[in-house]
Amino acid sequence: MDSQELSSAHLIRGPSPPGPPSGACPGSRTPGGRKKQGWSCSLIVASLVGALGSSFLYGYNLSVVNAPTPYIKAFYNETWERRHGHPIDADTLTLLWSVTVSIFAIGGLVGTLLMKLIGKFLGRKYTLLVNNGFAISAALLMACSLPAGALEMLIVGRFIMGVDGGIALSALPMYLSEISPKEIRGSLGQVTAIFICIGVFTGQLLGLPELLGKESSWPYLFGVIAIPALVQLVSLPFLPESPRYLLFEKHDQAGAEKAFRTFLGKEDVSRELEEVLTEGRVQRHIQLVSVLQLLRTPSARWQLITVVVTMGCYQLCGLNAIWFYTNSIFGKAGIPPEKIPYITLSTGGIETAAAIVSGLVIERLGRRPLLIGGFGLMTLFFGILTVTLTLQDHAPWVPYLSIVCILAIIASFCSGPGGIPFILTGEFFQQSQRPAAFIVAGTVNWLSNFMVGLLFPFIQSSQHLHAEKCYPDLL
């Protein structure tokens, strides 16, 4: 257990003050005066507001490109024909669309690399606040691409939105892990995953034909991105900075003590402050380590291997392909086109429910069983899905069995693998190593995301061509 774990071991176990402290929720204490699980109103609000403008937007941008795919491709074709005098060929259109989807991940990688520089000077909270500028500018670019007749605006907007996601998925887990007591750190860390799932679901919901998933209104799907960013921009300034950041990097003991009072919901935080100060004295002469220094640190080797493997599996297990290309996958599985938007919506509901359940049980079951169990179930259901897709033309009910398998895969993913890698990155490393660790994890995350988004359409097309050659009578 590292010093950061030791310093948080007794958070929320101190004596209860006689009156309700600033930031405490009414009724947050039992009749005997014992505080429940360390939750305070300020802690809840910080996690919800932080996630709304961060991981929610990441999830939303994973799914929002799915519903308007045919309309965006038609827009690309019209723009190409207007500029060049002839329609765009199929391969070029596929490449343009793949770049539109996958450049989000390139932006995410850039945002991850920027995080250490920005976070060092601005801190966790103000990094999240400044990051909203990327989201708002991206929303305006993408929403105005159709009226301006410029497909480049949509692609650049997706890149900028990726930068926002890269910064957010590093800053938010750090912020949540540093403001939460150890006893609820896993549950609070799962807020990141829960809001990713809610964002995916919201993108699917607004993409329904009855709402914004129409040819005339698809730009508004991207304009909506500005709303959560604005909510965070006006709400987060009223909440404190991470007390650990204030102590370790700003040497502001008074500010850290005030932040502890607010987040822990009690007046007497002397024990917590002393524990963090003790950790600070241990690490007094330790500067923030670089990525190269972290990679060369023998004591952090297994932590790094664990984070790299889990984060790589998080992306390469195939879930992002489902989120990016859900309609296409269901169409290839033989689902009638008019039913696809509503079946797609069910995937978002399932993943949100599974993520919430995971957040409720993670402290009881632990990280490892949820990770192993989630990936194990995914392996099982992916195997069944392979069989059902192969035999989908043999019976009318087989495509619906494929749907059940996809829903089971999503539920298995969100029950553990969907959020735990972010929690582990925050828990495995000391304060001086944490920014570099998030850069490593984020780099693996976004490079894997880029590979999935760019290559999946070509893999899907090549498989279809192979099927046409080998099984012409079945197609």
Side-chain angles (χ1 to χ4, degrees), residues 213-281:
K214 300 188 288 286
E215 186 172 9
S216 60
S217 57
W218 68 260
Y220 297 112
L221 281 169
F222 298 100
V224 166
I225 291 169
I227 296 175
L230 288 171
V231 171
Q232 186 184 86
L233 197 59
V234 300
S235 304
L236 203 57
F238 297 99
L239 294 164
E241 176 59 272
S242 159
R244 291 181 175 278
Y245 172 80
L246 291 173
L247 266 178
F248 288 144
E249 299 184 39
K250 292 298 181 183
H251 310 293
D252 182 1
Q253 182 169 334
E257 186 173 354
K258 183 178 179 182
F260 269 130
R261 287 199 189 103
T262 301
F263 285 129
L264 299 182
K266 62 181 184 180
E267 290 295 333
D268 183 9
V269 295
S270 56
R271 177 186 296 181
E272 290 77 23
L273 196 63
E274 179 57 35
E275 287 170 349
V276 178
L277 287 172
T278 300
E279 179 184 350
R281 285 191 287 271

Side-chain angles (χ1 to χ4, degrees), residues 118-447:
I118 298 174
K120 180 179 180 180
F121 294 101
L122 297 181
R124 316 314 186 215
K125 185 182 85 168
Y126 287 102
T127 296
L128 290 172
L129 284 172
V130 169
N131 196 34
N132 290 303
F134 290 110
I136 294 170
S137 60
L140 292 174
L141 276 172
M142 292 187 288
C144 295
S145 60
L146 180 62
L151 60 87
E152 296 84 0
M153 291 175 65
L154 184 59
I155 296 173
V156 172
R158 285 281 294 173
F159 173 80
I160 296 174
M161 199 63 232
V163 175
D164 172 269
I167 294 173
L169 290 188
S170 296
L172 178 65
M174 272 195 283
Y175 185 56
L176 294 183
S177 69
E178 291 177 4
I179 69 174
S180 58
K182 180 187 174 185
E183 286 80 357
I184 60 170
R185 190 175 300 148
S187 297
L188 198 68
Q190 276 295 90
V191 170
T192 301
I194 291 170
F195 270 77
I196 289 175
C197 295
I198 294 174
V200 170
F201 179 75
T202 304
Q204 294 167 342
L205 179 64
L206 294 181
L208 290 175
E210 293 83 357
L211 297 176
L212 300 179
K214 300 188 288 286
E215 186 172 9
S216 60
S217 57
W218 68 260
Y220 297 112
L221 281 169
F222 298 100
V224 166
I225 291 169
I227 296 175
L230 288 171
V231 171
Q232 186 184 86
L233 197 59
V234 300
S235 304
L236 203 57
F238 297 99
L239 294 164
E241 176 59 272
S242 159
R244 291 181 175 278
Y245 172 80
L246 291 173
L247 266 178
F248 288 144
E249 299 184 39
K250 292 298 181 183
H251 310 293
D252 182 1
Q253 182 169 334
E257 186 173 354
K258 183 178 179 182
F260 269 130
R261 287 199 189 103
T262 301
F263 285 129
L264 299 182
K266 62 181 184 180
E267 290 295 333
D268 183 9
V269 295
S270 56
R271 177 186 296 181
E272 290 77 23
L273 196 63
E274 179 57 35
E275 287 170 349
V276 178
L277 287 172
T278 300
E279 179 184 350
R281 285 191 287 271
V282 171
Q283 300 188 45
R284 181 179 300 167
H285 302 295
I286 301 177
Q287 301 295 322
L288 287 178
V289 302
S290 67
V291 171
L292 191 58
Q293 289 172 321
L294 182 63
L295 293 175
R296 290 175 174 174
T297 303
S299 61
R301 189 162 298 151
W302 280 108
Q303 295 96 308
L304 277 172
I305 291 172
T306 303
V307 166
V308 167
V309 170
T310 55
M311 195 63 78
C313 292
Y314 170 82
Q315 292 291 350
L316 297 177
C317 67
L319 255 292
N320 273 359
I322 292 176
W323 282 333
F324 282 145
Y325 303 108
T326 310
N327 287 10
S328 176
I329 291 171
F330 284 144
K332 299 293 184 184
I335 306 301
E338 65 274 8
K339 295 182 180 180
I340 288 177
Y342 307 99
I343 296 174
T344 298
L345 191 62
S346 69
T347 65
I350 289 289
E351 65 196 7
T352 302
I356 292 173
V357 171
S358 176
L360 294 174
V361 303
I362 188 172
E363 297 299 349
R364 266 177 275 177
L365 297 181
R367 282 66 159 157
R368 191 166 176 261
L370 288 176
L371 267 178
I372 296 174
F375 280 129
L377 288 173
M378 288 179 71
T379 303
L380 172 65
F381 288 117
F382 266 125
I384 299 173
L385 180 63
T386 302
V387 175
T388 60
L389 290 177
T390 303
L391 303 175
Q392 66 184 15
D393 296 314
H394 286 64
W397 51 268
V398 175
Y400 295 94
L401 185 57
S402 298
I403 294 174
V404 173
C405 289
I406 289 175
L407 294 179
I409 290 167
I410 291 172
S412 302
F413 175 79
C414 292
S415 65
I420 290 176
F422 298 101
I423 298 174
L424 295 182
T425 310
E427 290 182 335
F428 276 178
F429 300 93
Q430 297 176 355
Q431 185 81 13
S432 60
Q433 299 172 329
R434 197 170 292 129
F438 270 98
I439 289 177
V440 173
T443 301
V444 174
N445 175 38
W446 289 106
L447 284 178

